[in-house]
Amino acid sequence: MVLAWATSFLAIAAAASPSRSVAITFDDLPAAGPRNPDEDRALTTADIRDINTSILTTLRAHHVPAIGFVNERGVSAYPDGTARREILEQWIAAGMELGNHTYSHADFNTLSIEQFRAEVERGEASIAPLLSRAGKKLSYFRFPMNHTGDTAAKRDAAAQYLSGRGYEIATCTIDTEDFAFERAFRAMLSKGETMAVQRLRKEYLRYTAEEIDYYADLHRQLFGRETAHVLILHVNRINAELLDAVLKMFEDRGYRFVTIAEAQNDAAFRTAESVTKSGPMWGYRWARALGAKIDGNKESEPPEWVLRYTTVSPAQ
């Protein structure tokens, strides 16, 4: 009787606490900067290596199988391209994946299909050989700014081309707007604003927690259940400092860290994607395709005191 009760209790508990999973992804390797994919000019390649090393150390500590999306211009357009390529090798050596984020972080909305193909193929220059030597395959592509095609014809042409080249499109479903916080972080550090930096760290973590919960709820509204998620972050200094706390937020909420392949295997990710000129998270795209009424105004934005440090550029 006791065994039967315990079994029943565990079954109820499992039903009440559905499995949660999230894939952690990073854009703009080797480092995000004011003019993607350029680094902050105040940073040396050694600084960039330290940022990546810190992120990778934290990922390994939490047993996270992450993927980093590379802008080739941030590697080969610099005299120390070999050293920058070694930073990408760090990711592979740590057991992480690498994906293609185009050569120059070009906006697909402004490109022809022919120009887009050139960006994709030039973007493979470093990562394809590195992955091949490690016995791995280059499998994922992420559109800069998540601009997947501003017309149905462009979207479909790009999707067909990428599929033929062996790519799966990398989605993202949770956005922390870390690039906006990074800009403020950079400005505060340069001005020596110690108190402002401390306040910013707390606000970034508060906002990130809010966004995690917001998008989890949005997906429950759309699909009536928990779904897998894909978090988009950038390789920058604020994440080098605070990634441990961000990952703990997911752990505290019962999330498992999974590969992008496992996350996108969730049936929700087979929902049709609506055409959009902007780059919203996929939950919004799916809502539009499903005809679901979602009030995007309920999603908060980073506070004005953060945004006023710098003007958000469309290049991010």
Side-chain angles (χ1 to χ4, degrees), residues 231-277:
L231 172 69
I232 180 172
L233 295 172
H234 295 77
V235 175
N236 56 32
R237 284 169 296 183
I238 199 164
N239 286 322
E241 283 198 21
L242 299 178
L243 181 60
D244 180 69
V246 170
L247 296 179
K248 284 178 180 176
M249 289 179 189
F250 284 101
E251 291 168 341
D252 290 345
R253 287 163 171 76
Y255 282 88
R256 293 182 301 114
F257 298 118
V258 299
T259 64
I260 191 169
E262 185 175 347
Q264 295 191 169
N265 193 47
D266 187 311
F269 288 76
R270 294 192 285 277
T271 307
E273 179 195 348
S274 59
V275 176
T276 173
K277 291 185 178 182

Side-chain angles (χ1 to χ4, degrees), residues 54-82:
S54 177
I55 288 172
L56 289 170
T57 298
T58 303
L59 291 173
R60 287 196 299 267
H62 289 264
H63 307 288
V64 178
I67 182 170
F69 290 92
V70 178
N71 293 125
E72 173 62 23
R73 191 181 74 185
V75 179
S76 59
Y78 291 85
D80 55 355
T82 298

Side-chain angles (χ1 to χ4, degrees), residues 18-236:
S19 176
R20 290 178 148 190
S21 62
V22 61
I24 308 298
T25 73
F26 290 85
D27 278 10
D28 303 336
L29 273 69
R35 294 181 300 148
N36 267 342
D38 292 353
E39 85 291 357
D40 184 331
R41 296 295 177 176
L43 297 180
T44 66
T45 296
D47 294 327
I48 294 171
R49 184 183 296 109
D50 289 344
I51 289 170
N52 281 268
T53 298
S54 177
I55 288 172
L56 289 170
T57 298
T58 303
L59 291 173
R60 287 196 299 267
H62 289 264
H63 307 288
V64 178
I67 182 170
F69 290 92
V70 178
N71 293 125
E72 173 62 23
R73 191 181 74 185
V75 179
S76 59
Y78 291 85
D80 55 355
T82 298
R84 288 164 177 258
R85 206 165 285 113
E86 289 172 354
I87 293 171
L88 304 184
E89 289 183 298
Q90 283 185 273
W91 282 71
I92 298 173
M96 308 302 168
E97 294 185 75
L98 293 177
N100 190 342
H101 200 37
T102 72
Y103 172 77
S104 67
H105 204 273
D107 182 355
F108 184 37
N109 288 355
T110 68
L111 302 179
S112 67
I113 289 296
E114 291 73 22
Q115 291 170 322
F116 173 71
R117 289 173 181 165
E119 278 282 333
V120 173
E121 291 167 29
R122 290 184 73 190
E124 297 171 354
S126 291
I127 53 178
L130 288 175
L131 289 169
S132 178
R133 285 199 291 271
K136 297 184 176 183
K137 182 184 176 184
L138 177 56
S139 301
Y140 288 93
F141 175 84
R142 175 170 279 159
F143 285 89
M145 295 154 282
N146 286 312
H147 288 176
T148 58
D150 52 349
T151 67
K154 281 184 69 175
R155 179 199 61 187
D156 295 346
Q160 183 177 7
Y161 162 73
L162 291 169
S163 177
R165 202 163 178 84
Y167 285 109
E168 181 173 345
I169 295 172
T171 64
C172 44
T173 65
I174 302 175
D175 177 19
T176 68
E177 299 200 41
D178 63 325
F179 53 86
F181 287 91
E182 169 69 10
R183 288 192 181 97
F185 192 53
R186 182 186 306 122
M188 292 170 185
L189 288 173
S190 68
K191 297 174 183 177
E193 297 177 351
T194 304
M195 296 301 293
V197 167
Q198 292 177 1
R199 183 185 179 197
L200 182 78
R201 290 188 182 105
K202 292 179 182 178
E203 181 58 29
Y204 176 53
L205 294 177
R206 185 206 66 77
Y207 183 77
T208 295
E210 188 174 274
E211 289 293 272
I212 293 169
D213 295 338
Y214 172 82
Y215 282 109
D217 184 62
L218 186 153
H219 280 222
R220 283 193 295 269
Q221 291 179 57
L222 287 177
F223 301 105
R225 63 177 177 86
E226 297 284 350
T227 72
H229 280 277
V230 178
L231 172 69
I232 180 172
L233 295 172
H234 295 77
V235 175
N236 56 32

